[in-house]
Amino acid sequence: MRKEIKDFKRKDLFEHYHSRTNPFSFVTTKIEITNLYHFCKKHKNFYATFGYYVMLAMNQVEAFKYRYEDGKFYYYDNLYPSYTQMFHDGNIGFFVCDMKDSYQKFIKEYNAVQEKFLKTNQSIEPDVQDVVWLSCEPWFQFTGCVTPFDKDITIPQVIWDQFTMEGDKCYIDIMIMAHHGFVDGSHIGAFINGLKELIENIKI
């Protein structure tokens, strides 16, 4: 549900950053995902599963739920994943998936939406604001990532790379993009720590 915030407490700070050419913060960090790796070796669906836990963690941090639309501030109660998907011809598109109230229901929903989406071959992004843009670069590793952005679209974005093994531990690099008018380093830190905790508590 969307709610307009008429007396936004960070209004001055938002305008300070929004007046700049690039008002976004880009942070790339390395996290351990060993539990998730073993879980997905058993249950598959790595892309969908990691996105699911990203969204659980991001929904725990209020700052990521604000948007700036047509000169007004809004708050969304719940955020949903907008996945980037490659078609069979190599082109890409985007689809939104409902979060559901359990992982099993989410995966069932994800697979149904993805299957239907792949048949459309349409690359247009859904015109919705209550989402987080998710993507993956499984072909290589990166230590930094800057994506195309539009300062008038305040939707956060998360991208992760090819996982790597170091001994018996599995790691991944994850990039978080967020409008600095809404999100500070402390909020990004809360998201990262929340994601780590969720992954550590996965029962294989």
Side-chain angles (χ1 to χ4, degrees):
M1 185 177 73
R2 184 177 80 163
K3 176 183 177 182
E4 183 180 352
I5 307 299
K6 295 185 178 180
D7 188 22
F8 184 54
K9 64 181 180 180
R10 288 175 61 103
K11 183 175 184 294
D12 291 342
L13 190 59
F14 179 90
E15 291 176 346
H16 168 73
Y17 286 113
H18 199 64
S19 65
R20 302 186 178 191
T21 302
N22 174 17
F24 294 93
S25 291
F26 293 83
V27 173
T28 301
T29 190
K30 180 179 180 180
I31 65 170
E32 184 188 342
I33 59 163
T34 306
N35 271 1
L36 183 73
Y37 170 79
H38 289 299
F39 180 85
C40 291
K41 288 283 284 186
K42 180 178 180 180
H43 299 283
K44 312 302 180 182
N45 293 302
F46 181 83
Y47 184 40
T49 302
F50 190 66
Y52 172 78
Y53 282 101
V54 164
M55 294 308 305
L56 286 182
M58 194 157 281
N59 268 298
Q60 293 176 352
V61 184
E62 181 181 302
F64 288 100
K65 297 183 176 183
Y66 290 99
R67 300 289 184 270
Y68 186 65
E69 305 169 45
D70 300 322
K72 297 180 180 180
F73 297 99
Y74 293 94
Y75 177 81
Y76 288 88
D77 289 338
N78 296 292
L79 301 177
Y80 303 92
S82 176
Y83 282 94
T84 304
Q85 173 68 52
M86 180 177 287
F87 292 108
H88 301 299
D89 64 1
N91 197 6
I92 62 171
F94 315 90
F95 67 88
V96 177
C97 191
D98 196 356
M99 278 299 289
K100 299 300 181 181
D101 59 3
S102 73
Y103 171 75
Q104 289 75 18
K105 290 180 182 179
F106 172 79
I107 288 298
K108 184 177 180 180
E109 170 80 0
Y110 173 91
N111 287 332
V113 174
Q114 182 194 49
E115 182 180 1
K116 181 179 179 180
F117 172 78
L118 285 172
K119 294 176 181 177
T120 69
N121 209 36
Q122 295 178 355
S123 60
I124 303 300
E125 188 153 10
D127 186 20
V128 289
Q129 295 288 322
D130 58 344
V131 296
V132 177
W133 291 334
L134 303 182
S135 188
C136 178
E137 303 293 347
W139 308 280
F140 55 84
Q141 300 165 31
F142 58 70
T143 55
C145 180
V146 178
T147 64
F149 59 86
D150 181 340
K151 64 181 293 182
D152 293 320
I153 301 176
T154 54
I155 297 172
Q157 185 170 9
V158 177
I159 301 176
W160 54 96
D161 69 356
Q162 181 184 75
F163 65 79
T164 58
M165 300 300 298
E166 297 182 14
D168 60 351
K169 302 293 185 182
C170 184
Y171 296 90
I172 210 166
D173 296 296
I174 181 172
M175 187 284 296
I176 304 101
M177 181 197 82
H179 196 294
H180 205 348
F182 295 132
V183 175
D184 299 325
S186 63
H187 304 121
I188 295 174
F191 160 69
I192 292 169
N193 290 330
L195 178 59
K196 288 179 179 179
E197 184 176 355
L198 287 167
I199 290 173
E200 288 170 1
N201 290 325
I202 292 175
K203 294 180 180 180
I204 304 170

